[in-house]
Amino acid sequence: SSLVILLNVVFVFFQLQYQGYSRGVGIGVRTDDLPDFNGAITLIDILFNIFFALELVTRLSVLRCQFFFPHGKPELLHFFDTFLVVASCADFYLFSVGQSSRGLNLNVLRPFRFLRFVRTLRVLQSIKIFGKLKMLVNTVGASFLALFWSIVLLGIVMIM
């Protein structure tokens, strides 16, 4: 599972690079001949979504409530992982169906694709050599509450 998550991250980086490159060709910044990888990207994306959904369904069918409450207390990472899988499947379904039907504008939901990268943090937690990175990520995560209150304070000052 960890290897597939890392492969998914590499794939997402490739996908973002390809999208940026193709947009550069579209607006005339680049004039290179761009091979069409859209079909392959969609297929690989579907395969990753299927793998993660099957993994989640397998774990839920085997462990049932123990998946979310392994030692009698809630395991928040499992709840988060479930949310990521469900959001990823919904994201793929909504964007693929929504773009072709009734002109729905679902671009508002595109930032949620960033959540795929969060899966990588789960892998990094299990590898010992990334101890310093884990400490840095924990520090950044702990500073979000202070950032929130700073934004609230700044908003109050701007309103006055």
Side-chain angles (χ1 to χ4, degrees):
S1 176
S2 298
L3 178 64
V4 175
I5 292 172
L6 287 175
L7 286 174
N8 188 10
V9 169
V10 170
F11 167 72
V12 169
F13 283 136
F14 170 77
Q15 183 180 17
L16 291 173
Q17 180 68 30
Y18 177 76
Q19 288 174 353
Y21 190 79
S22 64
R23 287 199 176 115
V25 170
I27 63 173
V29 175
R30 300 193 61 95
T31 59
D32 304 347
D33 190 25
L34 183 66
D36 186 20
F37 289 122
N38 288 325
I41 287 174
T42 303
L43 177 66
I44 294 171
D45 202 13
I46 290 171
L47 292 175
F48 277 121
N49 281 332
I50 289 172
F51 175 81
F52 292 132
L54 287 176
E55 178 192 24
L56 178 66
V57 167
T58 303
R59 287 184 183 200
L60 286 174
S61 65
V62 170
L63 298 174
R64 300 187 193 272
C65 287
Q66 290 293 324
F67 178 70
F68 295 113
F69 303 98
H71 303 290
K73 60 180 182 176
E75 180 65 40
L76 296 179
L77 286 177
H78 291 176
F79 281 106
F80 187 66
D81 194 34
T82 303
F83 171 74
L84 286 178
V85 170
V86 170
S88 178
C89 290
D91 168 55
F92 182 76
Y93 176 73
L94 287 175
F95 284 121
S96 66
V97 171
Q99 286 181 349
S100 63
S101 67
R102 291 186 262 148
L104 296 173
N105 186 5
L106 296 173
N107 288 333
V108 177
L109 300 175
R110 285 216 183 256
F112 289 111
R113 289 186 174 202
F114 174 74
L115 292 176
R116 292 180 185 174
F117 293 116
V118 179
R119 280 184 155 270
T120 310
L121 296 178
R122 292 199 57 205
V123 174
L124 294 179
Q125 286 180 348
S126 64
I127 301 174
K128 299 275 186 197
I129 61 173
F130 292 114
K132 301 288 184 187
L133 178 62
K134 183 178 175 184
M135 184 185 339
L136 181 64
V137 169
N138 288 339
T139 304
V140 169
S143 68
F144 275 121
L145 185 61
L147 176 65
F148 169 75
W149 287 115
S150 299
I151 291 172
V152 169
L153 182 63
L154 182 62
I156 291 171
V157 170
M158 289 175 62
I159 290 173
M160 296 179 130

